[in-house]
Amino acid sequence: GSLSLPQCAFFRLMKYNNWVSRRSSAAFCTRIQGVMMEKKTVLYVGCGPDHVLGKRGFDADLWREVRLDIDPDCAPDLVGTMTDMSAVADESVDAVYSSHTLEHLLPQEAPAALKEVRRVLRTDGVLVLTCPNVQEACRLMAEGKWQEKCYPIMEGRYHITPPDLLYGAWMTRSTGKPFMSHQYGYIPSSLAAVLRAGGFPSVGVVGDKWSLYAVAAKRQMDEAALKALFQHHWSGGSQA
């Protein structure tokens, strides 16, 4: 039989409500998916021409990169120094990555640099850092082996020598850019001490013959979590 006018109105209202409900559910799921897929941010300090995405545990599907360097010729996203990252907002990044940057600072500048790193990191943020290990370089220098070839760079066209590890690679120091020179050197124990003094409660440092690899967490982490963090970023050493 035919429906009465009130019945027709009721079914039209129910159909409309179901349509609104489906639209709302789809929009809600889209918003949830967007939140779940939101990428974390890594600030690459002292980036030079390099990029860190896809390396050092920073999967390009999960992270986005912001590059900061003192040299505008490197075309960074932001121009600044490790001691002055005022272009970066407080607690705005999930990780800071620093490769062969800390040794370019005077030792009295390191606390200010690490304070800046802690400022821009979110509460659960981490610092992932590598720098030269000068212990072996100092031994070779003391033995008069200052021309010893430590490891190749630039596809094997050049080799780093002990003076390069201590003072900076000669081919970069000769560019007329004084900030390319090294101002200080670290061994495993001294780097760990500097990071802890800089306000990082959880620090892990491992050294090989020529390099130091470190992670430092802004919040306290237990030993197992710290080890897992280190393995995630440095399980393959310099090639991780």
Side-chain angles (χ1 to χ4, degrees), residues 15-186:
K15 186 175 181 181
Y16 174 76
N17 284 342
N18 288 336
W19 177 80
V20 170
S21 178
R22 288 194 301 271
R23 287 287 296 263
S24 298
S25 296
F28 177 74
C29 289
T30 300
R31 288 197 299 272
I32 289 296
Q33 185 179 21
V35 171
M36 291 176 66
M37 295 301 292
E38 184 177 354
K39 293 184 177 182
K40 293 183 177 182
T41 301
V42 54
L43 176 67
Y44 189 171
V45 176
C47 60
D50 192 27
H51 292 265
V52 74
L53 287 186
K55 300 180 287 186
R56 308 333 188 227
F58 295 106
D59 189 325
D61 292 332
L62 303 175
W63 292 84
R64 72 181 190 95
E65 175 187 48
V66 177
R67 298 166 63 249
L68 181 146
D69 199 273
I70 191 174
D71 188 358
D73 292 343
C74 296
D77 301 306
L78 303 170
V79 176
T81 68
M82 201 171 185
T83 56
D84 180 10
M85 296 190 285
S86 54
V88 184
D90 294 357
E91 299 188 351
S92 60
V93 302
D94 301 283
V96 170
Y97 179 70
S98 169
S99 177
H100 290 255
T101 303
L102 190 62
E103 69 273 15
H104 292 264
L105 302 179
L106 293 167
Q108 59 267 32
E109 294 177 308
L114 295 174
K115 183 178 180 180
E116 275 289 82
V117 171
R118 290 181 67 252
R119 178 185 66 79
V120 302
L121 283 174
R122 295 193 171 104
T123 304
D124 58 350
V126 297
L127 168 63
V128 181
L129 180 148
T130 182
C131 68
N133 183 358
V134 301
Q135 197 158 15
E136 180 68 8
C138 288
R139 184 187 67 80
L140 291 170
M141 289 284 285
E143 294 176 357
K145 300 177 182 178
W146 58 277
Q147 289 184 315
E148 186 91 358
K149 292 180 179 180
C150 301
Y151 57 87
I153 60 171
M154 301 176 70
E155 299 180 343
R157 295 195 301 272
Y158 302 98
H159 280 77
I160 291 295
T161 64
D164 294 325
L165 287 169
L166 291 172
Y167 307 115
W170 66 267
M171 70 284 297
T172 57
R173 286 186 284 116
S174 62
T175 59
K177 297 178 178 180
F179 50 78
M180 296 303 295
S181 296
H182 293 183
Q183 303 298 325
Y184 202 61
Y186 294 93

